[in-house]
Structure formats: C-alpha cells, structure tokens
Amino acid sequence: MQQKKELNIQMGSRIRKARLQAGLTQEAFAELLHLGPKHISAMERGTVGLSMETLQNICQVLHVSADTLLFGDIEKSPADALSDLGGFLLKNLPRWKKSSIKYWKFLQKNKCFGRYSWNIESMISV
C-alpha cells in the first residue's frame, strides 16, 4: 500500500470537491483528463501525486486555479478580481470589442482598479 503525503491528501480532497461541484463522476472526469478512473480515485485519496501537466489539465477541466487546489480557497482582493476580469475581457476582446472597451472605460472612470491604472487604448488598437 502506498504511503499518503499530507499535501496529496489535501489536494486530492480539493480536487474531489471541485469535481463534485462541476457535477462530474470520477469516470467522466477521468475521460476528460485521459486518465483511468482508478488513477482519479487514487489521486483524490492522496495515494498518488500529480504531474504539472495533470495539474494544469485538472485546472482547465474544472475551471479552478492551481492556487485553489494547492492552498485551498484563496480570497482575492477586489482589485485582484477586477484585474482578472480585465485580463479575461482583453483575451476575449475580438468577440466583444465594443462592449468590452465601454465596460473597461467605465471601470477606469470609476477608479475600480485601485493600485492598477491601465489605459485600454494603449493596450489595444481601437
């Protein structure tokens, strides 16, 4: 029997919680990750560790950050959350260009970024 490491047990528990919140069975989750269900079970119990590639794939499939899986629920400051939102909007800008720029300008005008002071026009061509 493999020995469990505390970090693996904690991460496995967090992965299981995120998987259940996503409404996935171990079998469906294993299929999305191209792993076997037994591997998922062992991972969630903490008897096996994760490769960086597997961790990255889990984060993408479950839409959670690696920080959340490694350290638990991490509360972000409002400025960090808005920064993440700004990055998301810029990433998806080709689809939502006009509305994103309008929203970004609104956030800047109302000083919603705290320590961040970005100029949308300097980041993209309007």
Side-chain angles (χ1 to χ4, degrees), residues 21-96:
Q21 285 178 342
L24 295 171
T25 63
Q26 285 185 340
E27 291 78 14
F29 188 43
E31 191 174 314
L32 291 170
L33 294 174
H34 307 290
L35 298 171
K38 288 183 180 181
H39 187 81
I40 298 298
S41 176
M43 194 170 46
E44 289 182 355
R45 288 189 325 270
T47 57
V48 297
L50 311 177
S51 69
M52 293 302 289
E53 181 181 0
T54 300
L55 177 61
Q56 182 179 21
N57 291 338
I58 289 169
C59 292
Q60 290 172 343
V61 167
L62 297 178
H63 304 288
V64 297
S65 71
D67 284 351
T68 299
L69 295 179
L70 287 167
F71 305 110
D73 292 331
I74 297 174
E75 191 173 316
K76 288 190 173 193
S77 71
D80 289 338
L82 283 171
S83 175
D84 290 349
L85 174 62
F88 174 80
L89 290 173
L90 286 176
K91 180 180 175 185
N92 293 289
L93 200 56
R95 285 188 284 172
W96 314 328

Side-chain angles (χ1 to χ4, degrees), residues 99-117:
S99 61
S100 295
I101 292 171
K102 186 176 179 181
Y103 184 65
W104 190 273
K105 286 180 179 180
F106 169 80
L107 293 174
Q108 283 182 314
K109 179 181 174 187
N110 291 288
K111 302 185 186 316
C112 295
F113 290 104
R115 60 185 168 159
Y116 301 102
S117 57

